[in-house]
Amino acid sequence: MELRQLNTFRTVASTLNFSRAAEALNYVPSNVTMQMKALEDELGVRLFDRLGKQLVLTTEGKRFLTHVHDVLDKLDEARSAVHDNEQLTGTLTVSANEVVCAYRLPAVFRRFRSQYPGVRLIFRSVPNQALRQALFDGAADVVFILDEPVRSTGLAVEPLLEENFRLFAASDHPLATRAELQPDDFHGEIFLTNEKGCPYRTMFDRSFEKEGIDSLTYLEFQSAEAIKQCAISGIGIAFLPQIVTEAEVARGELVALPWQIPDLRVYTQMLWHKDKWLSPIMTGFIEAVREVSPKAGTTAPGS
């Protein structure tokens, strides 16, 4: 078993795609395939299942990945100890949902890349509800979530920004010109939201139940961009973070409806595993986040 095989395995497990892993490692795809076959042959187990075009970790692969992370983290720690003053090199895996990736992380990535050009940065988009598990599984070093303040004994949690959620409609929507709305005004309307299970969708449902508004009609999406475009087209009323719609509101394509959603406290939060060694790469990335985010540096309640 070779260290390069372990590094390749970790990269494939992060990307779940041989071609993307090969690109990240500067290998040809056939090299990655051969390394993974050799590793599976040596271990005598299948590490990945190939389900059509989809690559997924097997149960054995997930267990092995935990130990591979430990081995490679220790190796990075050893390298840092003897090359403390040299330029940092290595790999950092970051995960977030679509909204955070598109609207909060580009400035962070730009800052980090300018400070640490030798570090290979791997980003993987993950649904909001699966992000914390990615840390426990070792599939990500740092994740960013949109949620109520997270309380966890196993994770370090750092809130960055409070995100303002609103209801948005096309400028020609019947409710768009109203100065005030009542619960009855929403009867018969179609709401464009994330799927059930998404934390802020749960908060949305909870707030409308408190207002006595039930039997709502939904169109559910996995993509905030899809929700936004459907709202612009006049299909329904979108429930979205304000950051997602700023450009469209400025152009007059969307209007924020005069409806406040009470008790909706959603934050962009940065998380990492408390037991994970904070390598110089991770420390540098966390500091880059704090430099870019104007409200960073606070500890979430109960973390």
Side-chain angles (χ1 to χ4, degrees):
M1 192 178 302
E2 300 177 6
L3 283 175
R4 70 185 184 111
Q5 291 175 328
L6 300 184
N7 188 51
T8 299
F9 170 70
R10 181 172 65 174
T11 306
V12 174
S14 175
T15 61
L16 292 177
N17 185 287
F18 282 163
S19 296
R20 286 201 295 268
E23 183 179 354
L25 295 167
N26 293 319
Y27 291 154
V28 295
S30 59
N31 189 307
V32 171
T33 302
M34 287 189 296
Q35 286 191 50
M36 292 304 92
K37 185 179 185 306
L39 190 57
E40 288 179 330
D41 289 345
E42 182 171 350
L43 292 170
V45 298
R46 185 182 290 274
L47 299 172
F48 297 97
D49 278 329
R50 288 83 172 169
L51 307 178
K53 294 183 178 181
Q54 181 67 38
L55 197 67
V56 296
L57 278 166
T58 63
T59 301
E60 293 79 10
K62 291 177 181 178
R63 287 201 295 262
F64 185 59
L65 179 62
T66 301
H67 296 287
V68 168
H69 279 301
D70 289 341
V71 169
L72 295 180
D73 283 347
K74 285 296 183 183
L75 182 59
D76 286 341
E77 185 176 0
R79 284 172 176 160
S80 297
V82 296
H83 296 290
D84 195 38
N85 296 321
E86 296 184 10
Q87 186 183 59
L88 289 180
T89 60
T91 301
L92 184 74
T93 303
V94 178
S95 289
N97 72 358
E98 173 205 13
V99 170
V100 176
C101 175
Y103 295 95
R104 293 302 185 199
L105 291 185
V108 173
F109 291 158
R110 184 168 58 249
R111 173 69 64 87
F112 182 72
R113 292 289 295 171
S114 69
Q115 294 174 333
Y116 305 102
V119 175
R120 181 185 299 118
L121 191 60
I122 296 175
F123 176 80
R124 186 178 177 195
S125 181
V126 174
N128 210 66
Q129 55 269 34
L131 284 164
R132 276 176 272 187
Q133 191 59 44
L135 293 175
F136 289 112
D137 291 343
D141 298 309
V142 181
V143 304
F144 296 84
I145 67 170
L146 275 174
D147 204 341
E148 293 176 302
V150 172
R151 293 170 172 82
S152 174
T153 57
L155 300 176
V157 183
E158 190 164 314
L160 303 175
L161 294 164
E162 183 172 6
E163 302 290 355
N164 188 21
F165 277 70
R166 299 288 299 276
L167 297 178
F168 297 91
S171 57
D172 59 353
H173 191 281
L175 300 181
T177 57
R178 300 278 294 276
E180 185 177 347
L181 293 175
Q182 300 298 324
D184 287 345
D185 294 324
F186 292 114
H187 287 300
E189 297 292 341
I190 296 174
F191 286 88
L192 313 174
T193 67
N194 290 87
E195 294 177 310
K196 279 188 174 293
C198 176
Y200 36 92
R201 164 63 189 278
T202 301
M203 287 181 263
F204 172 84
D205 291 341
R206 187 173 62 205
S207 70
F208 269 69
E209 287 171 2
K210 286 183 179 179
E211 295 290 338
I213 305 173
D214 53 14
S215 301
L216 297 178
T217 301
Y218 294 101
L219 280 181
E220 299 179 337
F221 302 83
Q222 291 184 333
S223 166
E225 185 65 25
I227 293 173
K228 180 169 63 176
Q229 293 303 322
C230 286
I232 292 172
S233 299
I235 294 174
I237 298 172
F239 173 64
L240 287 169
Q242 189 167 312
I243 184 68
V244 172
T245 62
E246 287 179 348
E248 289 74 20
V249 169
R251 292 195 297 264
E253 297 172 344
L254 287 175
V255 173
L257 299 182
W259 182 264
Q260 298 298 320
I261 302 174
D263 303 322
L264 187 68
R265 305 299 298 272
V266 181
Y267 296 83
T268 292
Q269 299 163 75
M270 176 171 56
L271 286 70
W272 62 92
H273 201 291
K274 281 185 176 178
D275 293 335
K276 188 174 181 63
W277 172 61
L278 283 181
S279 67
I281 292 175
M282 274 191 66
T283 301
F285 183 79
I286 290 169
E287 287 303 319
V289 174
R290 290 169 177 164
E291 290 169 8
V292 170
S293 176
K295 294 184 181 180
T298 310
T299 302
S303 65

Short mmCIF file of all heavy atoms in Angstrom, two decimals, residues 182-226:
data_model
loop_
_atom_site.label_atom_id
_atom_site.label_comp_id
_atom_site.label_asym_id
_atom_site.label_seq_id
_atom_site.Cartn_x
_atom_site.Cartn_y
_atom_site.Cartn_z
N GLN A 182 -52.14 40.23 4.54
CA GLN A 182 -52.78 39.47 5.60
C GLN A 182 -52.68 37.98 5.27
O GLN A 182 -52.51 37.60 4.10
CB GLN A 182 -54.25 39.87 5.74
CG GLN A 182 -54.48 41.33 6.08
CD GLN A 182 -53.87 41.72 7.40
OE1 GLN A 182 -53.87 40.93 8.36
NE2 GLN A 182 -53.34 42.95 7.48
N PRO A 183 -52.79 37.10 6.27
CA PRO A 183 -52.69 35.66 5.99
C PRO A 183 -53.62 35.19 4.89
O PRO A 183 -53.24 34.35 4.06
CB PRO A 183 -53.04 35.03 7.35
CG PRO A 183 -52.61 36.04 8.35
CD PRO A 183 -52.90 37.37 7.72
N ASP A 184 -54.83 35.73 4.83
CA ASP A 184 -55.78 35.28 3.81
C ASP A 184 -55.31 35.59 2.40
O ASP A 184 -55.76 34.95 1.43
CB ASP A 184 -57.15 35.94 4.04
CG ASP A 184 -57.86 35.35 5.24
OD1 ASP A 184 -57.44 34.26 5.71
OD2 ASP A 184 -58.82 35.98 5.73
N ASP A 185 -54.40 36.55 2.24
CA ASP A 185 -53.93 36.92 0.90
C ASP A 185 -53.13 35.80 0.25
O ASP A 185 -52.95 35.80 -0.98
CB ASP A 185 -53.06 38.18 0.98
CG ASP A 185 -53.86 39.41 1.40
OD1 ASP A 185 -55.03 39.50 0.99
OD2 ASP A 185 -53.31 40.25 2.12
N PHE A 186 -52.65 34.86 1.04
CA PHE A 186 -51.81 33.80 0.49
C PHE A 186 -52.61 32.57 0.04
O PHE A 186 -52.04 31.67 -0.57
CB PHE A 186 -50.77 33.36 1.52
CG PHE A 186 -49.74 34.42 1.83
CD1 PHE A 186 -49.69 35.00 3.09
CD2 PHE A 186 -48.84 34.84 0.86
CE1 PHE A 186 -48.74 35.97 3.37
CE2 PHE A 186 -47.90 35.82 1.13
CZ PHE A 186 -47.85 36.39 2.39
N HIS A 187 -53.87 32.54 0.32
CA HIS A 187 -54.68 31.40 -0.11
C HIS A 187 -54.72 31.33 -1.63
O HIS A 187 -54.96 32.35 -2.30
CB HIS A 187 -56.09 31.48 0.47
CG HIS A 187 -56.16 31.19 1.94
ND1 HIS A 187 -55.76 29.99 2.48
CD2 HIS A 187 -56.54 31.97 2.99
CE1 HIS A 187 -55.92 30.02 3.79
NE2 HIS A 187 -56.38 31.21 4.13
N GLY A 188 -54.48 30.17 -2.16
CA GLY A 188 -54.48 29.98 -3.61
C GLY A 188 -53.15 30.27 -4.27
O GLY A 188 -53.00 30.03 -5.47
N GLU A 189 -52.19 30.79 -3.51
CA GLU A 189 -50.87 31.08 -4.08
C GLU A 189 -49.99 29.82 -4.09
O GLU A 189 -50.18 28.92 -3.26
CB GLU A 189 -50.17 32.18 -3.30
CG GLU A 189 -50.89 33.53 -3.33
CD GLU A 189 -50.87 34.17 -4.71
OE1 GLU A 189 -50.02 33.78 -5.54
OE2 GLU A 189 -51.71 35.05 -4.95
N ILE A 190 -49.05 29.80 -5.00
CA ILE A 190 -48.08 28.70 -5.08
C ILE A 190 -46.76 29.19 -4.48
O ILE A 190 -46.24 30.25 -4.88
CB ILE A 190 -47.86 28.26 -6.53
CG1 ILE A 190 -49.15 27.69 -7.12
CG2 ILE A 190 -46.74 27.21 -6.61
CD1 ILE A 190 -49.06 27.36 -8.60
N PHE A 191 -46.22 28.43 -3.54
CA PHE A 191 -44.95 28.80 -2.91
C PHE A 191 -43.82 27.95 -3.49
O PHE A 191 -43.93 26.72 -3.59
CB PHE A 191 -45.02 28.60 -1.39
CG PHE A 191 -45.84 29.66 -0.71
CD1 PHE A 191 -47.21 29.50 -0.55
CD2 PHE A 191 -45.25 30.82 -0.25
CE1 PHE A 191 -47.97 30.47 0.07
CE2 PHE A 191 -46.00 31.80 0.37
CZ PHE A 191 -47.37 31.63 0.53
N LEU A 192 -42.76 28.63 -3.87
CA LEU A 192 -41.58 27.99 -4.45
C LEU A 192 -40.54 27.87 -3.34
O LEU A 192 -40.02 28.89 -2.86
CB LEU A 192 -41.03 28.83 -5.60
CG LEU A 192 -42.08 29.31 -6.63
CD1 LEU A 192 -41.43 30.24 -7.64
CD2 LEU A 192 -42.73 28.13 -7.33
N THR A 193 -40.25 26.66 -2.91
CA THR A 193 -39.40 26.45 -1.75
C THR A 193 -38.42 25.30 -1.98
O THR A 193 -38.52 24.56 -2.96
CB THR A 193 -40.24 26.11 -0.50
OG1 THR A 193 -40.85 24.83 -0.69
CG2 THR A 193 -41.32 27.15 -0.25
N ASN A 194 -37.51 25.16 -1.03
CA ASN A 194 -36.67 23.97 -0.99
C ASN A 194 -37.50 22.76 -0.57
O ASN A 194 -38.60 22.91 -0.05
CB ASN A 194 -35.51 24.15 -0.01
CG ASN A 194 -34.49 25.14 -0.52
OD1 ASN A 194 -34.63 26.35 -0.30
ND2 ASN A 194 -33.48 24.65 -1.20
N GLU A 195 -36.92 21.59 -0.75
CA GLU A 195 -37.62 20.36 -0.39
C GLU A 195 -37.74 20.24 1.13
O GLU A 195 -36.96 20.82 1.88
CB GLU A 195 -36.86 19.15 -0.95
CG GLU A 195 -36.85 19.08 -2.46
CD GLU A 195 -36.03 17.91 -2.96
OE1 GLU A 195 -34.89 17.75 -2.50
OE2 GLU A 195 -36.55 17.16 -3.78
N LYS A 196 -38.71 19.45 1.56
CA LYS A 196 -38.84 19.16 2.99
C LYS A 196 -37.57 18.50 3.50
O LYS A 196 -36.94 17.71 2.81
CB LYS A 196 -40.04 18.24 3.23
CG LYS A 196 -41.38 18.96 3.27
CD LYS A 196 -42.48 18.02 3.70
CE LYS A 196 -43.80 18.76 3.88
NZ LYS A 196 -43.75 19.72 5.00
N GLY A 197 -37.19 18.84 4.72
CA GLY A 197 -35.94 18.34 5.28
C GLY A 197 -34.88 19.42 5.32
O GLY A 197 -33.97 19.37 6.15
N CYS A 198 -34.98 20.40 4.43
CA CYS A 198 -34.06 21.53 4.46
C CYS A 198 -34.37 22.36 5.71
O CYS A 198 -35.54 22.64 5.99
CB CYS A 198 -34.23 22.37 3.20
SG CYS A 198 -33.23 23.88 3.19
N PRO A 199 -33.37 22.76 6.50
CA PRO A 199 -33.64 23.44 7.77
C PRO A 199 -34.50 24.68 7.62
O PRO A 199 -35.44 24.90 8.39
CB PRO A 199 -32.24 23.79 8.29
CG PRO A 199 -31.35 22.75 7.68
CD PRO A 199 -31.93 22.49 6.32
N TYR A 200 -34.21 25.53 6.63
CA TYR A 200 -34.99 26.75 6.54
C TYR A 200 -36.37 26.51 5.93
O TYR A 200 -37.28 27.30 6.13
CB TYR A 200 -34.24 27.88 5.83
CG TYR A 200 -33.35 27.51 4.68
CD1 TYR A 200 -33.83 27.49 3.38
CD2 TYR A 200 -32.01 27.23 4.89
CE1 TYR A 200 -33.00 27.17 2.32
CE2 TYR A 200 -31.18 26.90 3.84
CZ TYR A 200 -31.68 26.88 2.55
OH TYR A 200 -30.87 26.55 1.49
N ARG A 201 -36.55 25.41 5.20
CA ARG A 201 -37.90 25.05 4.78
C ARG A 201 -38.73 24.65 6.01
O ARG A 201 -39.92 25.01 6.12
CB ARG A 201 -37.84 23.90 3.78
CG ARG A 201 -39.17 23.17 3.54
CD ARG A 201 -40.24 24.08 2.93
NE ARG A 201 -41.53 23.39 2.93
CZ ARG A 201 -41.91 22.50 1.99
NH1 ARG A 201 -41.10 22.22 0.97
NH2 ARG A 201 -43.08 21.93 2.06
N THR A 202 -38.12 23.95 6.94
CA THR A 202 -38.81 23.57 8.17
C THR A 202 -39.24 24.81 8.94
O THR A 202 -40.36 24.88 9.46
CB THR A 202 -37.90 22.69 9.04
OG1 THR A 202 -37.53 21.52 8.30
CG2 THR A 202 -38.59 22.29 10.33
N MET A 203 -38.35 25.81 9.00
CA MET A 203 -38.69 27.05 9.70
C MET A 203 -39.80 27.80 8.99
O MET A 203 -40.67 28.42 9.61
CB MET A 203 -37.44 27.92 9.84
CG MET A 203 -36.43 27.39 10.86
SD MET A 203 -35.00 28.47 11.01
CE MET A 203 -33.86 27.61 9.93
N PHE A 204 -39.79 27.77 7.66
CA PHE A 204 -40.84 28.40 6.86
C PHE A 204 -42.19 27.77 7.18
O PHE A 204 -43.17 28.47 7.45
CB PHE A 204 -40.52 28.24 5.37
CG PHE A 204 -41.61 28.67 4.44
CD1 PHE A 204 -41.74 30.01 4.08
CD2 PHE A 204 -42.51 27.76 3.92
CE1 PHE A 204 -42.74 30.41 3.21
CE2 PHE A 204 -43.52 28.15 3.06
CZ PHE A 204 -43.64 29.49 2.71
N ASP A 205 -42.25 26.44 7.16
CA ASP A 205 -43.50 25.75 7.46
C ASP A 205 -43.98 26.08 8.87
O ASP A 205 -45.18 26.32 9.10
CB ASP A 205 -43.31 24.23 7.32
CG ASP A 205 -43.10 23.80 5.89
OD1 ASP A 205 -43.45 24.57 4.97
OD2 ASP A 205 -42.60 22.67 5.67
N ARG A 206 -43.05 26.12 9.80
CA ARG A 206 -43.39 26.39 11.19
C ARG A 206 -43.99 27.79 11.36
O ARG A 206 -44.97 27.97 12.09
CB ARG A 206 -42.14 26.23 12.05
CG ARG A 206 -42.38 26.30 13.55
CD ARG A 206 -41.09 25.96 14.28
NE ARG A 206 -40.02 26.91 13.97
CZ ARG A 206 -38.73 26.62 14.04
NH1 ARG A 206 -38.33 25.40 14.40
NH2 ARG A 206 -37.82 27.52 13.76
N SER A 207 -43.42 28.77 10.67
CA SER A 207 -43.89 30.15 10.81
C SER A 207 -45.29 30.31 10.24
O SER A 207 -46.12 31.04 10.80
CB SER A 207 -42.92 31.11 10.12
OG SER A 207 -42.97 30.96 8.70
N PHE A 208 -45.59 29.63 9.12
CA PHE A 208 -46.92 29.75 8.53
C PHE A 208 -47.96 29.00 9.36
O PHE A 208 -49.12 29.41 9.43
CB PHE A 208 -46.90 29.27 7.08
CG PHE A 208 -46.60 30.38 6.10
CD1 PHE A 208 -45.33 30.96 6.07
CD2 PHE A 208 -47.57 30.85 5.25
CE1 PHE A 208 -45.05 31.99 5.20
CE2 PHE A 208 -47.30 31.89 4.37
CZ PHE A 208 -46.03 32.47 4.34
N GLU A 209 -47.54 27.91 9.99
CA GLU A 209 -48.47 27.20 10.87
C GLU A 209 -48.86 28.07 12.05
O GLU A 209 -50.02 28.05 12.50
CB GLU A 209 -47.82 25.90 11.36
CG GLU A 209 -47.72 24.82 10.28
CD GLU A 209 -46.87 23.64 10.73
OE1 GLU A 209 -46.41 23.66 11.90
OE2 GLU A 209 -46.67 22.72 9.93
N LYS A 210 -47.92 28.85 12.57
CA LYS A 210 -48.21 29.75 13.68
C LYS A 210 -49.22 30.81 13.28
O LYS A 210 -49.99 31.31 14.10
CB LYS A 210 -46.92 30.42 14.18
CG LYS A 210 -46.01 29.50 14.97
CD LYS A 210 -44.80 30.27 15.47
CE LYS A 210 -43.88 29.37 16.30
NZ LYS A 210 -42.68 30.10 16.77
N GLU A 211 -49.21 31.20 12.01
CA GLU A 211 -50.14 32.20 11.51
C GLU A 211 -51.49 31.58 11.14
O GLU A 211 -52.40 32.29 10.69
CB GLU A 211 -49.56 32.91 10.28
CG GLU A 211 -48.33 33.74 10.56
CD GLU A 211 -48.62 34.98 11.37
OE1 GLU A 211 -49.79 35.43 11.37
OE2 GLU A 211 -47.70 35.51 12.02
N GLY A 212 -51.61 30.27 11.30
CA GLY A 212 -52.85 29.60 10.96
C GLY A 212 -53.05 29.40 9.48
O GLY A 212 -54.17 29.17 9.01
N ILE A 213 -51.96 29.51 8.72
CA ILE A 213 -52.04 29.33 7.27
C ILE A 213 -51.65 27.89 6.95
O ILE A 213 -50.50 27.48 7.18
CB ILE A 213 -51.10 30.30 6.53
CG1 ILE A 213 -51.39 31.74 6.95
CG2 ILE A 213 -51.24 30.15 5.03
CD1 ILE A 213 -50.40 32.75 6.40
N ASP A 214 -52.58 27.12 6.46
CA ASP A 214 -52.27 25.73 6.13
C ASP A 214 -52.78 25.43 4.72
O ASP A 214 -53.25 26.31 4.00
CB ASP A 214 -52.87 24.77 7.15
CG ASP A 214 -54.37 24.99 7.36
OD1 ASP A 214 -54.98 25.70 6.54
OD2 ASP A 214 -54.92 24.46 8.34
N SER A 215 -52.65 24.18 4.33
CA SER A 215 -53.07 23.73 2.99
C SER A 215 -52.42 24.56 1.89
O SER A 215 -53.05 24.94 0.91
CB SER A 215 -54.61 23.79 2.86
OG SER A 215 -55.24 22.99 3.83
N LEU A 216 -51.14 24.87 2.07
CA LEU A 216 -50.41 25.63 1.06
C LEU A 216 -50.05 24.73 -0.12
O LEU A 216 -49.86 23.53 0.03
CB LEU A 216 -49.14 26.22 1.65
CG LEU A 216 -49.32 27.25 2.78
CD1 LEU A 216 -47.96 27.71 3.29
CD2 LEU A 216 -50.15 28.43 2.32
N THR A 217 -49.94 25.34 -1.28
CA THR A 217 -49.50 24.63 -2.47
C THR A 217 -48.03 24.94 -2.71
O THR A 217 -47.65 26.11 -2.76
CB THR A 217 -50.33 25.05 -3.70
OG1 THR A 217 -51.71 24.77 -3.45
CG2 THR A 217 -49.89 24.28 -4.94
N TYR A 218 -47.22 23.88 -2.86
CA TYR A 218 -45.79 24.06 -3.02
C TYR A 218 -45.31 23.53 -4.37
O TYR A 218 -45.84 22.56 -4.91
CB TYR A 218 -45.01 23.29 -1.94
CG TYR A 218 -45.21 23.78 -0.53
CD1 TYR A 218 -46.08 23.12 0.34
CD2 TYR A 218 -44.52 24.88 -0.06
CE1 TYR A 218 -46.25 23.56 1.64
CE2 TYR A 218 -44.68 25.33 1.24
CZ TYR A 218 -45.55 24.66 2.09
OH TYR A 218 -45.70 25.08 3.38
N LEU A 219 -44.28 24.17 -4.87
CA LEU A 219 -43.40 23.56 -5.86
C LEU A 219 -42.04 23.48 -5.19
O LEU A 219 -41.50 24.52 -4.75
CB LEU A 219 -43.32 24.40 -7.15
CG LEU A 219 -44.47 24.27 -8.14
CD1 LEU A 219 -44.23 25.15 -9.36
CD2 LEU A 219 -44.64 22.82 -8.58
N GLU A 220 -41.47 22.29 -5.09
CA GLU A 220 -40.24 22.09 -4.33
C GLU A 220 -39.06 21.91 -5.27
O GLU A 220 -39.16 21.23 -6.30
CB GLU A 220 -40.38 20.87 -3.42
CG GLU A 220 -41.50 21.03 -2.40
CD GLU A 220 -41.63 19.80 -1.52
OE1 GLU A 220 -41.20 18.71 -1.94
OE2 GLU A 220 -42.17 19.94 -0.40
N PHE A 221 -37.92 22.50 -4.88
CA PHE A 221 -36.72 22.47 -5.70
C PHE A 221 -35.51 22.14 -4.83
O PHE A 221 -35.51 22.37 -3.62
CB PHE A 221 -36.48 23.83 -6.36
CG PHE A 221 -37.60 24.32 -7.24
CD1 PHE A 221 -38.70 24.95 -6.69
CD2 PHE A 221 -37.54 24.15 -8.62
CE1 PHE A 221 -39.74 25.41 -7.50
CE2 PHE A 221 -38.56 24.60 -9.43
CZ PHE A 221 -39.66 25.23 -8.87
N GLN A 222 -34.45 21.67 -5.47
CA GLN A 222 -33.16 21.52 -4.80
C GLN A 222 -32.26 22.72 -5.03
O GLN A 222 -31.25 22.88 -4.36
CB GLN A 222 -32.45 20.25 -5.31
CG GLN A 222 -33.12 18.95 -4.89
CD GLN A 222 -32.33 17.74 -5.34
OE1 GLN A 222 -31.60 17.78 -6.33
NE2 GLN A 222 -32.48 16.65 -4.62
N SER A 223 -32.63 23.58 -5.98
CA SER A 223 -31.77 24.68 -6.40
C SER A 223 -32.41 26.03 -6.12
O SER A 223 -33.55 26.29 -6.52
CB SER A 223 -31.48 24.56 -7.91
OG SER A 223 -30.93 25.76 -8.42
N ALA A 224 -31.66 26.90 -5.44
CA ALA A 224 -32.14 28.26 -5.20
C ALA A 224 -32.26 29.03 -6.51
O ALA A 224 -33.16 29.86 -6.68
CB ALA A 224 -31.19 28.99 -4.25
N GLU A 225 -31.37 28.76 -7.45
CA GLU A 225 -31.43 29.43 -8.75
C GLU A 225 -32.71 29.07 -9.48
O GLU A 225 -33.35 29.93 -10.11
CB GLU A 225 -30.21 29.04 -9.59
CG GLU A 225 -30.10 29.79 -10.91
CD GLU A 225 -29.89 31.28 -10.74
OE1 GLU A 225 -29.35 31.71 -9.70
OE2 GLU A 225 -30.27 32.03 -11.67
N ALA A 226 -33.13 27.81 -9.40
CA ALA A 226 -34.37 27.39 -10.04
C ALA A 226 -35.58 28.07 -9.40
O ALA A 226 -36.51 28.50 -10.09
CB ALA A 226 -34.52 25.87 -9.96
#
